[in-house]
Amino acid sequence: MVRAGVRIGYVLAARAMARRCPEPESWLDVGTGDADFPRAARAYFPYTSFDGLDPTGRVLRARAVERVEEALVGRLTDHHVAVRVRERYDVVSLFQYLERVADPRAELRAALAALRPGGHLLVDVADPRRLVPVHPVGLGAELVAQGCTVLTGTRGHRVIARKDASAP
């Protein structure tokens, strides 16, 4: 039952993203594990190249079964990853990732660095209150401070933002 709920959440997130960015060329799913989100999102983005990043080897298995095009092992803040992904993606997604890392603000900055100017960030958190260290007012305020325009979900569990062309 829980897995079905997660899948529905992925479908709803993909549908919400399709309204704002209908044809992204490249997408990085951070904390992808077995790449369940890219698998669900392909129904909405059949021509998008999905890559996966995960600190575990599960992403390598996801690559082997062709759920992602490229598999990266590590975290966004790892130097070898940051160099490879800098300004490479139209969309970066983080599903329940920020609340599992030691420094969510650094990971968020690294996610924005992976976006091309005008790219979109999709952040989904189980409990937005757990991200208070990211910004005392909330995730939306932190994204604005980092040079983004928040498009939806400033107070909810899902936030979609666009990286402004002038953002670092």
Side-chain angles (χ1 to χ4, degrees), residues 28 30 53 75-79 81-92 94 104-121 143 146-148 162-164 167-168:
L28 177 64
V30 178
L53 171 66
R75 295 203 181 276
L76 282 168
T77 52
D78 294 346
H79 180 72
V81 172
V83 168
R84 282 184 76 181
V85 302
R86 182 152 187 77
E87 292 191 354
R88 182 173 167 186
Y89 294 97
D90 297 314
V91 180
V92 173
L94 301 105
R105 182 175 274 154
E107 294 286 335
L108 189 60
R109 278 193 306 268
L112 293 171
L115 284 173
R116 295 176 179 142
H120 290 78
L121 181 70
L143 289 167
Q146 294 292 328
C148 293
R162 184 180 58 246
K163 179 180 177 180
D164 297 335

Side-chain angles (χ1 to χ4, degrees), residues 53-75:
L53 171 66
D54 198 84
T56 71
R58 292 169 50 202
V59 69
L60 298 173
R61 289 193 305 269
R63 169 63 190 107
V65 295
E66 299 180 349
R67 287 188 177 182
V68 292
E69 303 286 326
E70 186 175 348
L72 302 161
V73 177
R75 295 203 181 276

Side-chain angles (χ1 to χ4, degrees), residues 13 16-30 37 45 88-94 108 111-123 143 147-152 159-165:
M17 198 66 209
R19 288 191 295 271
R20 285 151 185 88
C21 185
E23 293 187 35
E25 184 177 308
S26 58
W27 190 313
L28 177 64
D29 187 44
V30 178
F37 173 72
F45 305 100
R88 182 173 167 186
Y89 294 97
D90 297 314
V91 180
V92 173
S93 55
L94 301 105
L108 189 60
L112 293 171
L115 284 173
R116 295 176 179 142
H120 290 78
L121 181 70
L122 170 60
V123 179
L143 289 167
C148 293
T149 300
V150 177
L151 303 175
T152 185
V159 176
I160 296 175
R162 184 180 58 246
K163 179 180 177 180
D164 297 335

Side-chain angles (χ1 to χ4, degrees), residues 48 101 114 133 147:
T48 298
V101 296

